[in-house]
Amino acid sequence: MTTNTTNSAAARELNDELMVELRGVNKWYGQFHVLKDVNLEVRKGERIVICGPSGSGKSTTIRCINRLEEHQKGDIIVGGTTLNNDLKNIETIRREVGMVFQHFNLFPHLTVLENCCLAPIWVRKIPRKEAEAMAMKYLERVKIQDQALKFPGQLSGGQQQRVAIARSLCMNPQVMLFDEPTSALDPEMIKEVLDVMIELAQEGMTMICVTHEMGFAKTVADRVIFMDKGQIIEENDPHNFFNHPQSERTQLFLSQIL
Ligand code: ADP
Ligand code: MG
């Protein structure tokens, strides 16, 4: 296993280009104040892990980044484009941001290959043949090319999640968001998905991962962020985050999951 030192952002000499910025982001669901002044800067090539108790606002945070949820106050900037009500900006940002969900969200009535080709053909306007060739390339990368003509329901959870990752990659995103991608998987399938995510990280993908897989965090994260009750409570490099948590809430959380 690689050490954090060789893996760290500093060691990889990241450039300073910001891929994702959240500045004073606030969100309410009705009366409920779900995100409270969330600030986050993610540089190109950086790998961020977000953890925290259930209901702390992790999903809401990353869903705001590609406008699956709308924030009410503060700024979200992705690849230099500000997320506002301008549909053009929203489309630009969605094209740059890939998202992988806990429950895969594949289209059940489409084959694996069709799932991967749909957006490239209809959103990117890539000719079908070309889209299929590209999809096969990404399906190979997640080692599932032999399942291309099956339907999602015929695959295991781990296989479906790898398809979901390949489908995102087909849009050639600048940033990948993961929302607990292994939480719905049987234990023996978690590794095959994490291995794909680790490879992606090693290839330099900018990643924001909500996950409680602390082994993954220790191996690939440049920074670990702890959220509680809609706020970022603490962030640090993995070594210091796990070995020297500062706040009591972080300590309590870690004592419960480690
Ligand atoms: P996490 O991903 O950390 O578990 P979420 O971002 O899903 O947390 O949710 C944060 C809080 O917002 C929770 O209290 C949840 O019940 C609430 N919430 C999430 N989605 C909605 C929604 N669509 N409408 C109202 N409340 C919501
Ligand atoms: Mg969640």
Side-chain angles (χ1 to χ4, degrees):
M1 191 178 280
T2 28
T3 67
N4 290 321
T5 343
T6 53
N7 225 12
S8 72
R12 286 184 287 114
E13 291 183 14
L14 286 176
N15 61 25
D16 287 337
E17 189 182 335
L18 284 177
M19 272 312 304
V20 178
E21 278 180 86
L22 276 68
R23 290 196 205 135
V25 170
N26 283 266
K27 174 173 177 58
W28 288 261
Y29 287 121
Q31 298 286 314
F32 178 56
H33 196 177
V34 59
L35 297 182
K36 301 168 187 161
D37 278 319
V38 172
N39 292 291
L40 177 64
E41 289 190 349
V42 183
R43 288 178 295 160
K44 196 172 162 60
E46 221 179 352
R47 291 92 70 132
I48 307 291
V49 162
I50 303 179
C51 61
S54 179
S56 56
K58 306 177 299 294
S59 295
T60 304
T61 301
I62 63 167
R63 291 169 65 86
C64 281
I65 294 173
N66 64 351
R67 239 332 145 87
L68 291 177
E69 296 289 351
E70 191 176 341
H71 66 289
Q72 281 87 35
K73 193 167 155 237
D75 294 315
I76 297 180
I77 303 154
V78 182
T81 303
T82 300
L83 193 54
N84 49 27
N85 286 327
D86 190 337
L87 277 180
K88 238 178 70 201
N89 287 15
I90 295 176
E91 278 175 19
T92 304
I93 287 174
R94 287 211 178 130
R95 259 201 294 263
E96 301 302 343
V97 178
M99 175 117 185
V100 174
F101 302 88
Q102 185 177 358
H103 295 289
F104 329 134
N105 296 15
L106 297 170
F107 298 109
H109 58 294
L110 298 180
T111 65
V112 163
L113 186 63
E114 287 163 347
N115 263 280
C116 291
C117 291
L118 198 65
I121 290 172
W122 294 101
V123 180
R124 287 238 195 244
K125 313 287 181 205
I126 294 174
R128 178 175 295 273
K129 268 214 143 63
E130 219 174 285
E132 285 182 355
M134 179 178 66
M136 286 309 296
K137 187 184 85 183
Y138 284 115
L139 288 170
E140 257 170 59
R141 248 173 75 175
V142 302
K143 303 184 179 63
I144 203 155
Q145 68 276 21
D146 50 335
Q147 311 289 323
L149 300 180
K150 289 196 180 161
F151 290 90
Q154 297 171 296
L155 305 184
S156 73
Q159 289 175 320
Q160 289 188 58
Q161 194 59 297
R162 285 187 282 142
V163 172
I165 294 172
R167 178 177 65 172
S168 278
L169 293 176
C170 284
M171 288 295 278
N172 195 21
Q174 296 289 309
V175 190
M176 287 282 288
L177 309 176
F178 292 86
D179 193 358
E180 302 207 37
T182 59
S183 300
L185 299 177
D186 292 333
E188 71 271 20
M189 292 171 193
I190 292 177
K191 186 176 177 296
E192 68 189 51
V193 171
L194 290 179
D195 283 348
V196 168
M197 292 170 64
I198 291 169
E199 263 187 54
L200 256 185
Q202 285 165 347
E203 288 162 16
M205 178 63 80
T206 310
M207 297 166 74
I208 305 177
C209 310
V210 174
T211 181
H212 290 154
E213 289 295 331
M214 293 301 137
F216 174 81
K218 287 176 186 168
T219 315
V220 306
D222 297 305
R223 263 188 296 151
V224 184
I225 287 174
F226 175 70
M227 284 188 80
D228 193 17
K229 300 193 175 76
Q231 288 177 305
I232 292 181
I233 303 296
E234 182 164 348
E235 62 174 274
N236 219 329
D237 62 83
H239 176 81
N240 283 310
F241 182 84
F242 291 109
N243 295 304
H244 311 290
Q246 299 296 305
S247 89
E248 259 175 46
R249 282 195 258 176
T250 315
Q251 290 162 8
L252 179 67
F253 175 75
L254 290 176
S255 74
Q256 286 163 345
I257 63 159
L258 290 178

